[in-house]
Amino acid sequence: MTAVIQTNRVLDCEGLACPMPVVKTKKTMEEIQAGEVLEVRATDKGSISDLQSWASRTGHQYIGLKEANGVFRHFLRKASEHETKTETKYPYVISNEELADRLASGETVCVLDVREPAEYSFARIPGALSIPMGELEEKLGQLQQDQEYYVICRSGSRSDIACQLLVERGFSKVKNVVPGMSGWQGATESDE
């Protein structure tokens, strides 16, 4: 027997890519009462790590996830006012243009792409290392803590979260690339 999760509101984010599921969730959480449960329906696989990380950073409770037919149903409980945390942005950023200049100069640059595999497959910065945000914590052993990393995603939101995670785990040379691949004008490569 499957238990029915009681929700107070359902938010449809199907078909939306990062950062929109988090942006819409944040706005909707402001509209509901503390203790109420929001169900967020999304089709972006990255929404799993995005919403879990967002909830953790803001103090809201990520209750769980159900997936069926490519739709991820996220359940979040709104925290009370004294339980919420101020959301912080990673302060060390580099613009797309600055990164493109470093790449063009021949400088050895390590670009860490935290988008989902399909996004990476269709267009990426040549030589970028792919570790999707949802796998980053378990694959930290593949990275060197003293290496400088330029972390990129589609919009700068998921990469912001990744930068914060890396710094929490002892990486000190990390920069968030903004606005990310959505505004990238430099060279790209893709899978054939």
Side-chain angles (χ1 to χ4, degrees):
M1 184 166 122
T2 303
V4 176
I5 299 173
Q6 294 295 323
T7 59
N8 300 91
R9 191 144 171 204
V10 175
L11 175 62
D12 182 6
C13 293
E14 292 179 43
L16 300 178
C18 178
M20 293 312 297
V22 171
V23 169
K24 289 180 157 280
T25 298
K26 181 179 178 179
K27 183 179 183 310
T28 304
M29 286 296 247
E30 292 171 359
E31 299 169 358
I32 67 174
Q33 301 298 313
E36 290 185 336
V37 175
L38 173 65
E39 177 184 340
V40 180
R41 295 181 181 172
T43 49
D44 178 8
K45 186 175 186 219
S47 68
I48 298 169
S49 62
D50 293 346
L51 288 171
Q52 289 173 348
S53 296
W54 177 80
S56 174
R57 288 191 339 267
T58 58
H60 299 295
Q61 180 187 4
Y62 187 88
I63 298 170
L65 166 74
K66 291 187 175 198
E67 190 267 328
N69 302 318
V71 176
F72 302 97
R73 296 173 56 213
H74 305 273
F75 298 91
L76 299 104
R77 177 173 286 112
K78 182 174 180 173
S80 66
E81 191 174 317
H82 74 275
E83 294 172 313
T84 57
K85 304 174 194 171
T86 302
E87 191 172 1
T88 59
K89 288 283 190 189
Y90 186 72
Y92 304 105
V93 298
I94 186 171
S95 70
N96 285 7
E97 294 75 23
E98 290 172 300
L99 179 58
D101 288 346
R102 288 189 180 192
L103 290 166
S105 76
E107 184 178 333
T108 301
V109 174
C110 188
V111 177
L112 176 60
D113 192 321
V114 295
R115 296 175 300 151
E116 290 300 306
E119 296 172 286
Y120 177 84
S121 175
F122 284 107
R124 63 184 170 271
I125 295 172
L129 172 64
S130 174
I131 302 181
M133 178 62 205
E135 300 172 16
L136 184 58
E137 193 154 13
E138 67 191 48
K139 293 186 175 181
L140 287 176
Q142 296 178 12
L143 304 175
Q144 297 175 14
Q145 286 193 332
D146 59 345
Q147 171 75 45
E148 185 168 28
Y149 291 100
Y150 297 91
V151 186
I152 195 163
C153 68
R154 191 184 74 79
S155 66
S157 294
R158 191 172 295 165
S159 53
D160 182 283
I161 296 166
C163 286
Q164 291 184 51
L165 172 68
L166 288 167
V167 169
E168 288 171 6
R169 299 304 187 268
F171 292 78
S172 59
K173 299 175 185 175
V174 179
K175 290 198 177 164
N176 185 16
V177 182
V178 283
M181 291 303 291
S182 64
W184 182 253
Q185 299 295 313
T188 61
E189 63 183 11
S190 63
D191 294 348
E192 296 299 322

